[in-house]
Amino acid sequence: MLELEIWYIKNNDKKELDIDYFDVRNEPLLNLFQVFLKKMRKKIPKYSSLYIIFYENLTEEEKKRIRIENGEKREYYFKETNINELKSKKDLDFLRETLKNLKEGLIHSKFRECLSDDEINKFENYVYEKNFIYTQNIDVKNNKTKTRKAVLKGVLTSGQLSLFLEIIDLKSRKCIYNKCVFELPPSVSIPSKSKLNPISLYGYELYWENDNTIDIIINTVGDRLRTKIYQKSDASVLTKQQRIKS
């Protein structure tokens, strides 16, 4: 797997390098890249890393030092830019700029041996097709009588994680419920370090209380988000939600 890092470097008031290597808005893009590699069945050499580094006023000596201190076998792509201007962009403009430089970094790196220009362009198209939104199934559970299936999905956008609950009637194979039930602000939705399962490790799971009541257990705080499903005589469905404290 190819590990990606995106850094932002500028000189602070003391003329020292101020390195910021995390912006939550990049997470959907980085996760989409890993999914793309998996879909393409690309074999990347083990322990491969590419650093995309946005910087202000770095000397060649400072670039060399960054390479030495962080591993000379890693690939580095340096892009001079105004950091404050970049970070002040609207989320989608920010991600477009990051994607453009990620693509350039791949083209100028040794990973062109593994990814052709055509495949790199396919990656760009794939990200735009997904609109920079990464979706992952977190948990799937059938109720005890196997009449209904619940699917908990995480939808990660630039800085926000939304949980969607989908309930399927197994007899008719119809979806009877599919709505966003929970959202986390950027300050909370810091993803795990896992590149394969960035959302499922947040700590959410499904539990059928009975055939018509499904709980999302929020392990981080121990609360339950309960959804009750009522089948009406005309075959339509009525739902009711409540938050239950442990």
Side-chain angles (χ1 to χ4, degrees):
M1 181 183 294
L2 174 56
E3 182 182 15
L4 287 173
E5 294 276 355
I6 299 176
W7 288 13
Y8 308 89
I9 301 178
K10 60 182 178 179
N11 289 307
N12 60 25
D13 294 338
K14 297 179 181 179
K15 304 299 181 183
E16 300 168 333
L17 292 184
D18 187 7
I19 300 176
D20 180 3
Y21 59 89
F22 184 76
D23 191 309
V24 71
R25 292 181 294 174
N26 283 320
E27 286 306 311
L29 174 59
L30 299 183
N31 295 324
L32 283 169
F33 182 66
Q34 300 302 340
V35 171
F36 176 78
L37 290 180
K38 192 175 180 181
K39 282 179 178 287
M40 297 294 290
R41 298 182 179 178
K42 303 306 297 184
K43 290 187 177 179
I44 307 292
K46 280 187 176 181
Y47 311 115
S48 295
S49 299
L50 171 63
Y51 283 35
I52 308 297
I53 300 177
F54 294 96
Y55 72 93
E56 289 182 3
N57 305 318
L58 278 184
T59 65
E60 289 304 314
E61 188 62 33
E62 286 170 327
K63 290 181 186 178
K64 183 178 178 181
R65 198 178 82 217
I66 288 167
R67 287 190 179 99
I68 292 171
E69 290 178 355
N70 293 280
E72 292 188 81
K73 290 186 178 180
R74 291 179 167 130
E75 290 285 302
Y76 298 85
Y77 180 71
F78 289 89
K79 177 67 176 181
E80 186 167 15
T81 190
N82 183 311
I83 303 295
N84 290 336
E85 188 178 299
L86 174 63
K87 290 219 165 192
S88 67
K89 286 180 180 286
K90 292 180 180 178
D91 287 353
L92 279 179
D93 291 335
F94 170 84
L95 284 168
R96 288 188 188 104
E97 185 70 19
T98 307
L99 175 59
K100 183 182 82 172
N101 286 283
L102 169 55
K103 180 182 172 184
E104 289 176 5
L106 287 166
I107 289 172
H108 289 90
S109 74
K110 68 179 181 183
F111 298 114
R112 284 191 70 179
E113 301 168 7
C114 310
L115 288 165
S116 66
D117 288 355
D118 182 55
E119 287 170 329
I120 293 172
N121 287 331
K122 281 182 180 178
F123 165 60
E124 182 180 36
N125 293 336
Y126 174 74
V127 173
Y128 277 109
E129 179 186 315
K130 298 294 183 183
N131 198 27
F132 296 91
I133 296 172
Y134 174 77
T135 303
Q136 179 180 307
N137 282 0
I138 296 175
D139 199 10
V140 180
K141 288 273 187 356
N142 290 342
N143 61 7
K144 288 182 180 179
T145 57
K146 300 191 184 319
T147 55
R148 286 177 178 158
K149 177 171 74 173
V151 182
L152 183 63
K153 295 180 180 180
V155 177
L156 192 62
T157 60
S158 51
Q160 180 168 286
L161 173 64
S162 301
L163 300 183
F164 279 78
L165 178 63
E166 181 180 19
I167 300 172
I168 300 164
D169 183 280
L170 293 175
K171 186 177 180 180
S172 65
R173 298 292 177 184
K174 290 183 179 179
C175 176
I176 59 176
Y177 185 83
N178 188 11
K179 290 183 180 178
C180 177
V181 293
F182 195 67
E183 291 181 345
L184 285 94
S187 60
V188 177
S189 60
I190 297 172
S192 95
K193 293 180 180 179
S194 169
K195 299 298 181 185
L196 289 175
N197 295 299
I199 297 175
S200 63
L201 302 181
Y202 275 75
Y204 305 99
E205 58 182 306
L206 293 170
Y207 174 76
W208 282 98
E209 181 70 20
N210 56 53
D211 277 354
N212 300 309
T213 303
I214 181 78
D215 288 356
I216 300 171
I217 302 172
I218 307 170
N219 291 322
T220 49
V221 292
D223 289 1
R224 289 176 181 239
L225 189 63
R226 175 160 290 178
T227 301
K228 292 186 177 182
I229 310 147
Y230 302 96
Q231 194 88 37
K232 295 168 71 176
S233 57
D234 61 357
S236 63
V237 172
L238 183 67
T239 59
K240 181 181 178 182
Q241 283 191 328
Q242 62 184 128
R243 185 82 172 261
I244 300 173
K245 290 279 186 182
S246 295

